Amino acid sequence: MSCRHAKTVLLVEDDADLVALISLVLQEGGYRVKIACNGREALAKLENDIPDLILLDMKMPVMNGPEFARELEVRHGRQAPIIVLTAAADAHRRAAEVGADAWLGKPFDPDALLSTVRRYTG
């Protein structure tokens, strides 16, 4: 029996259906999931605990993905890998704009999500 703690993923996404699906996939994959509906809420959650990985939507109300990424860098530096979730046709460019480690285009395959998250959480 392992004493290893589950890795934590902060999911920053405003689509409730997508949040439910991603949370389920990650939890079944053995991850703890914290949820924020926008960048401002995500920054508040980061004050107490830096996750092992951040899944970041680009288009959200209040504070969008690029705004969040800039503020994250200012406040905390780069302590966690970022994977961008976007429906944009130029997903790789959007990810590069925020210095993300990887990206997944929406819609994505749940297995691809899990394997990408595993690649960046060890």
Side-chain angles (χ1 to χ4, degrees), residues 8 10 12 16 24 31 35 46 49 56 62 65 108:
T8 301
L10 175 60
V12 189
L24 181 65
Y31 291 90
I35 298 163
L46 290 170
D49 188 28
L56 180 63
V62 186
F108 49 81

Side-chain angles (χ1 to χ4, degrees), residues 16-116:
D17 291 336
L18 206 48
V19 166
L21 172 66
I22 293 170
S23 295
L24 181 65
V25 169
L26 292 176
Q27 287 167 353
E28 286 182 352
Y31 291 90
R32 285 180 46 226
V33 181
K34 293 185 176 184
I35 298 163
C37 297
N38 59 63
R40 187 177 300 150
E41 191 178 310
L43 287 170
K45 289 184 183 279
L46 290 170
E47 289 302 316
N48 301 323
D49 188 28
I50 301 295
D52 296 293
L53 181 110
I54 298 169
L55 285 174
L56 180 63
D57 184 21
M58 289 281 97
K59 292 185 178 179
M60 296 173 288
V62 186
M63 178 185 275
N64 65 30
E67 291 167 339
F68 165 80
R70 282 191 296 274
E71 191 61 26
L72 174 68
E73 184 72 32
V74 169
R75 292 188 192 187
H76 303 285
R78 282 301 298 272
Q79 297 183 42
I82 295 175
I83 299 174
V84 163
L85 303 173
T86 182
D90 58 346
H92 63 286
R93 188 175 304 127
R94 303 283 293 162
E97 283 173 14
V98 300
D101 297 273
W103 57 272
L104 285 168
K106 294 177 187 175
F108 49 81
D109 178 67
D111 291 334
L113 169 69
L114 205 49
S115 67
T116 303

